[in-house]
Amino acid sequence: VSAIAVQRPDLFKAVCSRVPLTDMVRFPKFGIAVRWVHEYGNPDIKNDLKNILKWSPYHNIKNNIEYPNFLFTTADKDTRVDPLHARKMAALLQSVNKKNKILVFTEVEAGHGPGKPISKIVEVQSLILTFFSQELEIRI
């Protein structure tokens, strides 16, 4: 979601990027993400880095572009995708995007998803639905 919204911001008014992996140059340095270099490429290898930089969401944000309203969700105990990805991406978008909302919701005492109590699932889903309802002016 983050990659396509950065590549083609004209297609979206609002997006929700859940537990996003956004800094593709540094992703293997955090948690278990080193296991994913076979899927995304290894940024320590020159040719892989060249390809990664073409689409890495964090590295393709530009000044003077109107990006859509963003809601990032993350969790403070996520061992699969470090919360720094959502926070770092949101901070950069906030610095270049003065018109639209850039929001981050961090679930407390929660991980990536499996085993999450139903109350936390309902909470984040309600937040996402409310975000889209407001930003897309959907009236129920």
Side-chain angles (χ1 to χ4, degrees):
V1 169
S2 294
I4 192 64
V6 167
Q7 290 174 29
R8 292 292 311 271
D10 57 305
L11 297 179
F12 306 97
K13 184 174 180 183
V15 294
C16 177
S17 190
R18 300 185 69 181
V19 292
L21 191 58
T22 59
D23 181 349
M24 300 310 295
V25 171
R26 295 179 45 84
F27 82 92
K29 299 184 184 322
F30 305 103
I32 66 168
V34 69
R35 297 178 184 171
W36 306 330
V37 294
H38 69 281
E39 184 174 349
Y40 297 116
N42 185 343
D44 292 334
I45 297 172
K46 186 177 180 179
N47 197 47
D48 284 1
L49 176 61
K50 182 179 172 183
N51 289 326
I52 288 167
L53 285 171
K54 292 177 186 175
W55 62 270
S56 174
Y58 183 80
H59 297 91
N60 282 284
I61 295 172
K62 297 173 179 59
N63 286 317
N64 302 318
I65 301 288
E66 184 179 325
Y67 292 102
N69 297 293
F70 263 88
L71 171 60
F72 293 97
T73 66
T74 189
D76 67 350
K77 304 275 190 240
D78 192 335
T79 58
R80 293 172 68 189
V81 179
D82 195 295
L84 72 85
H85 287 279
R87 295 170 182 159
K88 185 175 177 177
M89 182 79 168
L92 183 56
L93 279 168
Q94 287 172 341
S95 75
V96 301
N97 187 9
K98 304 301 182 195
K99 181 179 178 188
N100 292 329
K101 295 176 188 152
I102 309 298
L103 308 170
V104 178
F105 175 73
T106 302
E107 288 185 272
V108 178
E109 296 298 319
H112 194 77
K116 191 178 295 188
I118 193 74
S119 61
K120 288 197 177 285
I121 294 169
V122 169
E123 179 183 28
V124 75
Q125 286 302 117
S126 298
L127 178 72
I128 292 167
L129 288 172
T130 300
F131 171 75
F132 280 123
S133 175
Q134 289 177 347
E135 298 312 316
L136 302 177
E137 299 176 17
I138 299 170
R139 305 292 175 234
I140 298 174

